[in-house]
Amino acid sequence: RLSKNPKMDIQKLENLNQCIDFIKKHDIQLVNIGSSDILKGNEKLILGLLWTIILRFEVAGADGKQGLLLWLQRSTKGYDGVNVTDFTSSWKDGLAFNALIHRYRPDLLN
């Protein structure tokens, strides 16, 4: 059962364990990370886990650079003048960067 407002570490760990169980049930390989690593704020492990989740659920079938490119394309789709095709020329006019920021934090842009 999920603790909606966890105050104690044990409640936080129980919530995190549910996440870890979900990830394992979806055949995502976890390497050297557990709920306690997340609770302690191990940034490198958390970033690695987040990237693994993005690859599995957002860009299944692609990996590494191609996976990131696919995610960027999906995140910027629908913005006028934005067509992300690579990691160089697609970014030179600043429109793709602004579209990406707007997609996730529209309050930061006018």
Side-chain angles (χ1 to χ4, degrees):
R1 180 176 168 125
L2 185 67
S3 295
K4 301 271 185 203
N5 191 16
K7 301 276 189 221
M8 297 184 297
D9 282 353
I10 190 71
Q11 294 170 317
K12 295 173 185 177
L13 286 169
E14 287 172 354
N15 284 353
L16 291 167
N17 281 329
Q18 286 187 37
C19 296
I20 298 292
D21 290 343
F22 173 85
I23 291 167
K24 287 179 180 177
K25 286 178 187 172
H26 284 82
D27 298 322
I28 296 175
Q29 185 177 8
L30 297 176
V31 180
N32 296 325
I33 186 169
S35 55
S36 61
D37 297 307
I38 299 169
L39 182 65
K40 291 176 188 173
N42 187 321
E43 185 176 27
K44 286 185 181 181
L45 292 178
I46 293 169
L47 287 171
L49 178 60
L50 291 172
W51 179 240
T52 301
I53 291 169
I54 289 170
L55 285 176
R56 174 64 170 84
F57 293 109
E58 281 290 317
V59 293
D63 63 345
K65 204 170 176 180
Q66 283 305 115
L68 179 58
L69 183 61
L70 181 58
W71 178 79
L72 290 165
Q73 289 168 335
R74 289 179 178 172
S75 295
T76 58
K77 185 178 181 178
Y79 286 90
D80 290 336
V82 177
N83 183 25
V84 176
T85 59
D86 56 33
F87 294 101
T88 54
S89 61
S90 296
W91 303 90
K92 288 183 178 183
D93 63 7
L95 292 177
F97 279 114
N98 280 289
L100 190 60
I101 292 167
H102 184 265
R103 167 80 161 87
Y104 295 101
R105 288 293 307 270
D107 58 301
L108 297 177
L109 299 174
N110 296 343

